[in-house]
Amino acid sequence: MNFTEIAKTRQSCRSYDPDRAVEQEKLDAVLAAARLSPSACNGQPYHITVCKGEAAKQAAKAVQGMGMNKFASDAPVLLVISERPYVASAALGAKVKGNDYRSIDIGILAAFITAEAAAKGLGTCILGWLDDKKLRALCHLDAPVRLVITLGYAKEGDPLRPKIGA
């Protein structure tokens, strides 16, 4: 699958097959793509915590406040993306330029993760609605959680939705 095909077929999955596990080699490929994601000064100011099994169920609860993201309970894997400190050169650039490079880098990371997952036939959804305190406790994190990405196989018959502007 080339990049344009990935871009055309990748969508936010909100209907996962709860009985179909993600194969370890596919998860490894997604994480390998994440490691290749560009970042300011190659600092990679983030950490990925992989939640599977019971940890995935608990992480799903932490993204479902006020009735949101109910589908997350069916995703077999949740990737919790937390912020890490800048490397010195990126910290200097952020201060001088007044730009939050970590947020940009985390956005690029999410794009790499979701594109590689799509190339492997997996569905993803990037979630910003989350309970930072619960996720930090669950994942033993001392830094803010910025995103959670659900990962799994879409249910049979989940339709490809038309892209706006495509």
Side-chain angles (χ1 to χ4, degrees), residues 10-14 16 22 75-77 114 117-118 120-125 149-154:
R10 192 262 156 207
Q11 64 183 2
S12 294
C13 181
R14 293 182 180 89
Y16 290 97
V22 173
V77 178
T114 58
K120 298 297 181 196
L122 298 168
T124 56
C125 191
I149 301 175
T150 54
L151 180 68
Y153 286 96

Side-chain angles (χ1 to χ4, degrees), residues 9-91:
T9 60
R10 192 262 156 207
Q11 64 183 2
S12 294
C13 181
R14 293 182 180 89
S15 182
Y16 290 97
D17 181 345
D19 299 319
R20 192 166 177 199
V22 173
E23 298 88 344
Q24 189 61 48
E25 60 270 11
K26 289 187 178 184
L27 178 56
D28 290 344
V30 168
L31 296 173
R35 283 190 290 280
L36 297 172
S37 174
S39 60
C41 303
N42 198 31
Q44 299 181 329
Y46 43 75
H47 178 77
I48 304 168
T49 304
V50 177
C51 297
K52 300 186 326 186
E54 185 56 34
K57 298 293 181 201
Q58 292 303 312
K61 288 178 185 175
V63 298
Q64 294 175 328
M66 297 178 64
M68 301 294 284
N69 304 319
K70 292 179 183 180
F71 61 89
S73 294
D74 289 335
V77 178
L78 278 80
L79 303 175
V80 176
I81 315 298
S82 56
E83 187 176 277
R84 289 291 181 237
Y86 286 118
V87 294
S89 53

